[in-house]
């Protein structure tokens, strides 16, 4: 038997393989709520413009609510023969209300329907990402506030560079996630236009009111070109690229947590709630959540590339290739939200090991730059020469197996006669961080100012 929605010109039904490759209901059932919202807006508009009678519109409205409650209640029977969510909902509506169901699709196509549903779904995910990012930023702020003056090593090349504060390191991520947040808001604003009423590709001769359906669905405006409306998937690609960048930030932080929680670093203790054990090694506590967050960028960026490849050669307007957009976006969205929530939980629970951080900050000649700066300030030596003098002192300390503050004044004066006792004031890590008061620097006073600024912004 041929398809009940479009089988008029067909004598035979599809092969089982055709049905399998064609059907999207297995995944696009996730668009059910959006599909029904879109249909309700469309039916209300058809009645308001006199295209549909009020009694038919009312039957459709009630019927759609029944279908929605069946789907939400888990009693709805999805059919692969009906291909996708749009035809599954409409076929059930027909069973529930009869003949008026057949009038719902007036002036509409599945092409503008799916574009509308998908935009609504992605818009919800952008809102969820906004909430997830804000929650994570608040968790980071709490850590930064607690540890505005805890000293730890700052790294370049993962080699000890200069002492920084724990709070400063946490606030670096607040800045990164705030840019993700602004990308989310920006993408939401750009994508929030309604494709509904573009119909198959060319618009329709029925006197529809696209402004009305756009408003009903919370869109800022109807899309201005019907070909574009059914063809565009850049909103989904933008979602995936925003998600990719954010997942990259999550992954970098996750990598740091993996390193920091190792026995060799012991910078942090992750909570039991966000760690796992080993089935063979009884002593193990593994940072699995961090490792999995680190890995999520793989599938999220993979989705971005996959959809870009699907779209890149498609002529206007709709092609069935575009049905492949959904699984990529669903998977990326699920994993981005999960990674945000897991990171927030880990950050809230983790305990910094303050003595270990401070010991590590003091090792590795981390205040060598402070020593060179002191020479410039106090003796007038050009920086390049001060750099050289300091390098000689570092080599001396290294050969003796001690740190810079362990050298005697006589040792130092042997290298540069202008050095005085005052140099020892800048060799301690607390003095070092306290001195870095330039705007955006690591000094506790700067960190506290940034924490205050962000608390205000996030209320
Ligand atoms: N299931 C389809 C999709 O996800 C809906 C649109 C189908 N349109 C069509 N002309 N066959 O893209």
């Amino acid at each position: 038997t041929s398809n009940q929605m479009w089988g008029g010109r067909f004598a035979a039904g599809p092969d089982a393989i055709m049905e399998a490759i064609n059907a999207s209901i297995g995944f696009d059932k996730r668009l059910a709520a959006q599909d029904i919202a879109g249909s309700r807006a469309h039916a209300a508009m058809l009645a308001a413009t006199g295209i549909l009678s009020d009694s038919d519109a009312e039957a459709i409205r009630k019927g759609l609510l029944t279908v929605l409650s069946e789907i939400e209640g888990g009693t709805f029977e999805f059919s692969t023969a009906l291909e996708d969510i749009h035809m599954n909902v409409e076929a059930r509506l027909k069973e529930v209300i009869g003949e008026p169901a057949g009038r719902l699709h007036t002036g509409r196509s599945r092409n503008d329907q799916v574009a509308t549903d998908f935009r609504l779904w992605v818009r919800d995910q952008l809102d969820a990402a906004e909430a997830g990012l804000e929650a994570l930023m608040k968790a980071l702020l709490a850590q930064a506030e607690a540890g505005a003056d805890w000293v730890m090593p700052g790294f370049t090349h993962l080699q000890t560079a200069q002492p920084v504060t724990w709070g400063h390191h946490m606030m670096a991520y607040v800045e990164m996630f705030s840019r993700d947040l602004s990308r989310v808001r920006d993408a939401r604003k750009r994508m929030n236009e309604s494709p509904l009423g573009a119909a198959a590709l060319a618009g329709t001769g029925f006197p529809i009111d696209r402004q009305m359906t756009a408003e009903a669905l919370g869109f800022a405006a109807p899309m201005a070109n019907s070909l574009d409306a059914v063809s565009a998937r850049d909103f989904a690609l933008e979602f995936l690229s925003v998600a990719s960048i954010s997942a990259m930030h999550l992954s970098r932080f996750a990598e740091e947590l993996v390193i920091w929680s190792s026995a060799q670093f012991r910078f942090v203790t992750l909570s039991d709630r966000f760690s796992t054990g080993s089935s063979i090694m009884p002593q193990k506590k593994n940072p699995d959540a961090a490792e999995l967050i680190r890995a999520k960028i793989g599938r999220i960026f993979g989705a971005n590339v996959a959809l870009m490849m699907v779209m890149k050669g498609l002529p206007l307007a709709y092609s069935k290739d575009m049905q492949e957009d959904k699984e990529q976006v669903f998977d990326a969205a699920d994993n981005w939200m999960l990674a945000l929530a897991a990171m927030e939980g880990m950050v809230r629970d983790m305990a910094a090991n303050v003595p270990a951080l401070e010991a590590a900050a003091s090792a590795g000649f981390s205040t060598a730059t402070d020593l060179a700066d002191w020479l410039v300030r106090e003796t007038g030596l050009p920086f390049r020469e001060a750099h050289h003098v300091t390098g000689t002192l570092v080599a001396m300390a290294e050969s003796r197996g001690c740190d810079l503050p362990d050298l005697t004044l006589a040792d130092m004066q042997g290298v540069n006669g202008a050095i005085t006792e005052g140099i020892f004031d800048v060799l301690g890590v607390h003095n070092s961080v306290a001195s870095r008061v330039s705007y955006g620097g690591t000094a506790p006073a700067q960190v506290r100012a940034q924490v205050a600024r962000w608390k205000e912004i996030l209320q």
Side-chain angles (χ1 to χ4, degrees):
T1 60
S2 65
N3 187 288
Q4 61 173 286
M5 297 287 169
W6 45 250
R9 53 117 64 222
F10 287 75
D15 189 271
I17 299 290
M18 179 60 210
E19 202 172 286
I21 196 172
N22 195 36
S24 54
I25 189 62
F27 48 89
D28 69 14
K29 61 171 81 142
R30 287 186 74 170
L31 299 177
Q34 289 77 11
D35 192 71
I36 287 170
S39 288
R40 287 183 57 191
H42 184 67
M45 178 278 291
L46 290 178
T49 50
I51 301 166
L52 194 67
S53 73
D54 286 343
S55 62
D56 282 350
E58 181 55 14
I60 289 170
R61 191 187 68 82
K62 281 203 191 126
L64 286 170
L65 289 176
T66 303
V67 175
L68 181 62
S69 69
E70 287 175 3
I71 293 173
E72 284 173 345
T75 59
F76 191 96
E77 274 183 46
F78 292 100
S79 146
T80 310
L82 288 164
E83 289 183 33
D84 55 27
I85 186 63
H86 325 295
M87 297 204 297
N88 268 269
V89 168
E90 193 185 316
R92 179 67 189 139
L93 183 65
K94 176 108 189 285
E95 287 171 6
V96 175
I97 68 169
E99 194 251 316
R103 299 183 192 281
L104 170 60
H105 214 51
T106 312
R108 182 179 79 168
S109 155
R110 272 189 294 158
N111 297 347
D112 59 335
Q113 194 177 354
V114 73
T116 303
D117 295 3
F118 200 28
R119 266 179 204 261
L120 291 172
W121 196 90
V122 169
R123 195 177 70 185
D124 283 350
Q125 295 299 308
L126 287 168
D127 292 342
E130 177 165 351
L133 283 163
E134 282 177 351
L136 174 54
M137 288 167 73
K138 285 179 185 163
L140 287 162
L141 273 179
Q143 286 284 352
E145 193 166 33
D149 54 12
W150 301 342
V151 182
M152 65 180 284
F155 300 92
T156 59
H157 313 264
L158 198 56
Q159 308 287 322
T160 299
Q162 293 175 345
V164 295
T165 50
W166 170 264
H168 197 49
H169 201 112
M170 296 299 123
M171 293 308 289
Y173 282 103
V174 168
E175 294 291 333
M176 286 179 247
F177 292 123
S178 80
R179 287 192 297 274
D180 292 344
L181 190 58
S182 99
R183 273 182 279 271
V184 163
R185 290 177 178 149
D186 196 41
R188 189 194 195 282
K189 198 166 164 226
R190 187 162 24 255
M191 64 89 72
N192 198 29
E193 291 189 345
S194 174
L196 193 57
L201 73 165
T204 175
F206 290 103
I208 59 170
D209 183 347
R210 293 191 59 208
Q211 187 68 46
M212 184 181 168
T213 48
E215 261 169 43
L217 295 169
F219 289 115
M223 291 179 77
N225 182 298
S226 63
L227 285 169
D228 176 47
V230 296
S231 301
R233 290 295 182 272
D234 53 313
F235 72 91
L237 286 164
E238 197 168 352
F239 174 81
L240 292 173
S241 57
V242 170
S244 295
I245 294 172
S246 176
M248 175 275 292
H249 287 148
L250 288 164
S251 180
R252 293 183 74 175
F253 194 29
E255 164 71 359
E256 294 196 315
L257 294 180
V258 170
I259 294 173
W260 290 358
S261 62
S262 68
Q264 289 69 24
F265 271 74
R266 293 195 316 109
F267 282 9
V268 292
T269 305
L270 300 176
S271 76
D272 288 356
R273 303 194 319 138
F274 285 94
S275 309
T276 59
S278 158
S279 54
I280 173 169
M281 296 167 283
Q283 86 285 9
K284 291 279 276 182
K285 186 166 156 187
N286 294 325
D288 294 46
E291 295 168 79
L292 288 162
I293 291 169
R294 186 174 60 184
K296 294 294 184 197
I297 176 73
R299 62 201 292 170
I300 294 173
F301 192 66
N304 190 14
V305 174
L307 183 56
M308 194 70 91
M309 290 301 104
V310 167
M311 294 307 298
K312 77 170 189 64
L314 297 185
L316 305 190
Y318 178 86
S319 296
K320 197 60 173 263
D321 312 48
M322 288 158 72
Q323 180 166 285
E324 291 282 316
D325 57 2
K326 288 168 219 56
E327 285 165 292
Q328 302 296 346
V329 172
F330 291 164
D331 186 76
D334 290 345
N335 284 286
W336 184 23
M337 301 313 146
L338 198 52
L340 283 169
M343 186 59 95
E344 189 218 333
M346 270 198 305
V347 170
R348 281 211 180 282
D349 282 16
M350 74 181 174
N353 182 351
V354 182
L357 289 171
E358 182 159 339
S362 310
F365 317 109
S366 66
T367 53
T369 314
D370 299 84
L371 196 161
D373 287 350
W374 184 91
L375 288 168
V376 170
R377 226 174 24 245
E378 303 296 327
T379 74
L381 218 55
F383 182 77
R384 278 288 156 237
E385 276 175 51
H387 186 287
H388 197 80
V389 168
T390 307
T392 309
L393 291 170
V394 166
M396 182 187 286
E398 193 170 45
S399 71
R400 294 192 195 165
C402 68
D403 282 322
L404 285 172
D406 303 325
L407 296 175
T408 66
L409 185 58
D411 291 335
M412 302 220 197
Q413 287 173 339
V415 176
N416 184 294
I419 296 178
T420 66
E421 194 66 44
I423 193 140
F424 288 96
D425 292 344
V426 301
L427 296 182
V429 290
H430 284 282
N431 287 339
S432 170
V433 295
S435 73
R436 299 233 148 69
V437 291
S438 56
Y439 178 75
T442 199
Q446 280 294 328
V447 172
R448 290 200 177 94
Q450 291 299 327
V451 169
R453 179 170 77 87
W454 276 111
K455 275 177 111 171
E456 173 102 14
I457 293 170
L458 298 170
Q459 306 110 16

